[in-house]
Amino acid sequence: LASLPGMHGTYDRQYQYTGMRGFGLPGDYNTRVLVMVNGNRLNDSVFDSGLTDKSFPLDMDLVQRIEFIPGPGGAVYGQNAMLGVVNVITRSGADIGGTELAAGAQSPQKMREGRATWGGKLDNGADLALSISGMRAKGQDLFFDYGAAGVSGIAQGLDGEQAHQVFAKASRGPWSLEFVSGNRRKGDPTGIFLSDPLVAGGHQRDRYTLAQGQWQDTFLDQKLQVQARVFAGQEKFSSMHHYGTPISFPSTGDWRGMELRTLYTGFDGHKWMLGLEWQDNFRVDQRSIDFAEPDNNISISSP
C-alpha cells in the first residue's frame, strides 16, 4: 500500500500505520481507511482500526490480490471508508492445488516463521482451503534517549513479537463459508502511552476473529447479480504498561450483521446497485486495571 501514489506507511515499534494525503499519523489507529477480507469488514467495533501489520489476521502468502479504491467510499462500503477502501482477496483451494510448506528467517530481528497450507477442488465441486501459520521474533535491542525525562538506555529484549494465524474457506456453487483468526503479541520497547520506558513486561496483544457465510448468483442472462451474506467478528485487546505500577487496558468488541446487495447491468453504459446492510456492535467493553490499587479500576461496558 505504501507504494501507491499519495499513500505512506509509518511504524512506531508497536503498530504499522497506513496514511493517505498526509492523514494517518502514528497513534491514529488507521480509522480513516476501511480494510476488508473478501468483502468482510475488519475494522473493529472498539477502536475502528484497520490493521495493516502482523495484527492483520491473514498470512500474506494466502493473498491473491489487494484491491484499493481511493477516496470516500462510505456510501457503498460503509463507515471508515473516508480516505479509501482496501479489500484483500484470498486464494482459493484450486489456486493452492495441494500442500504448501514454508519457513523463513530474518536478521537482525532474529525472526523465525512457518506456514502449512492445504487446498484443492474436490470432484463434487467443493473448493476447500486451510492454512496455519506462526511467527516469532526477538526484535532489535535499540538505544532510546527520552531527553528531558532523564531516561536513556538500550531496550534489551523488549522488542519481541509473535503472531499466529488460522484461515479456512469452503465454497461450492454460489455458497461459501470462511473463517479468519489472528493472535499477535508485541513487546513495548518505547514506553507507549506515556508509560515508564525501558521496563520489562510491557506489551500489547490483538486477537481477531472473523467469519462470514455468503451466497452469490446471477440471473436474467447474467445481467442481475444478487449477493447475500451474514458475518460476525470479535476483537480482543490486552496490554500491560507500567506507570510506577503495572496497569492493564483490556477491551473486547463483538459484532454481527448481514448484507443484501443487488447489481443490475441491463442498461447500456449504466450500473444500478441497491444494497442494505445491518450491523450490531452488541459488545463494546473497555477496562483499566490497576493491580496495585484496585480502587482505581475503571470499566466501561456496552448495555
Side-chain angles (χ1 to χ4, degrees):
L1 293 175
S3 68
L4 299 177
M7 299 197 71
H8 65 274
T10 55
Y11 177 54
D12 63 357
R13 309 207 72 80
Q14 292 293 303
Y15 292 98
Q16 190 83 26
Y17 303 93
T18 300
M20 185 176 184
R21 300 178 181 175
F23 291 93
L25 301 177
D28 192 48
Y29 297 149
N30 292 343
T31 59
R32 297 178 177 88
V33 176
L34 175 62
V35 181
M36 301 185 295
V37 178
N38 294 330
N40 193 13
R41 170 189 173 86
L42 178 64
N43 296 63
D44 64 89
S45 60
V46 177
F47 302 105
D48 261 351
S49 56
L51 303 174
T52 56
D53 51 24
K54 282 294 184 181
S55 300
F56 187 73
L58 185 71
D59 192 295
M60 290 302 294
D61 284 332
L62 301 176
V63 175
Q64 183 189 72
R65 67 181 186 275
I66 299 176
E67 301 173 342
F68 176 69
I69 304 175
V76 177
Y77 297 100
Q79 64 189 46
N80 299 104
M82 176 182 176
L83 299 178
V85 178
V86 177
N87 189 23
V88 179
I89 306 298
T90 62
R91 300 163 64 191
S92 65
D95 294 330
I96 299 171
T99 301
E100 294 181 353
L101 299 176
Q106 185 185 46
S107 180
Q109 289 82 12
K110 298 182 178 65
M111 183 269 288
R112 303 290 185 271
E113 63 179 348
R115 175 178 60 89
T117 303
W118 176 87
K121 192 168 185 178
L122 306 183
D123 294 338
N124 62 3
D127 187 282
L128 305 177
L130 176 64
S131 179
I132 301 175
S133 58
M135 182 277 296
R136 182 184 294 269
K138 292 184 178 180
Q140 293 180 263
D141 297 335
L142 300 179
F143 177 84
F144 292 93
D145 187 344
Y146 292 87
V151 179
S152 64
I154 297 177
Q156 187 75 33
L158 304 182
D159 194 32
E161 181 177 11
Q162 54 184 291
H164 305 89
Q165 297 143 334
V166 177
F167 172 73
K169 184 177 181 181
S171 62
R172 183 181 181 186
W175 299 92
S176 65
L177 296 170
E178 64 181 68
F179 173 83
V180 182
S181 178
N183 186 343
R184 181 241 195 184
R185 184 188 188 276
K186 178 65 179 66
D188 178 14
T190 61
I192 199 169
F193 302 134
L194 301 179
S195 62
D196 299 334
L198 306 180
V199 177
H203 70 272
Q204 299 189 96
R205 181 187 294 271
D206 294 272
R207 287 172 285 185
Y208 269 80
T209 303
L210 299 174
Q212 72 169 345
Q214 184 171 256
W215 174 84
Q216 181 174 313
D217 210 341
T218 57
F219 305 91
L220 302 179
D221 196 24
Q222 297 188 341
K223 296 179 181 178
L224 177 64
Q225 182 185 93
V226 181
Q227 179 190 51
R229 69 184 187 97
V230 293
F231 58 89
Q234 180 185 77
E235 193 270 348
K236 299 188 72 173
F237 171 82
S238 62
S239 65
M240 183 66 70
H241 305 289
H242 292 78
Y243 298 86
T245 59
I247 298 180
S248 178
F249 300 97
S251 66
T252 300
D254 292 283
W255 62 95
R256 60 194 173 195
M258 60 183 64
E259 179 185 17
L260 176 64
R261 179 182 299 185
T262 61
L263 176 65
Y264 184 69
T265 59
F267 300 107
D268 293 339
H270 295 276
K271 291 183 178 180
W272 292 78
M273 185 174 67
L274 175 65
L276 299 172
E277 182 178 0
W278 170 81
Q279 178 171 318
D280 177 22
N281 298 330
F282 63 94
R283 181 182 181 185
V284 183
D285 298 343
Q286 290 183 280
R287 291 185 295 161
S288 174
I289 302 175
D290 187 335
F291 294 96
E293 295 290 340
D295 291 340
N296 295 332
N297 293 352
I298 299 173
S299 179
I300 304 174
S301 301
S302 56

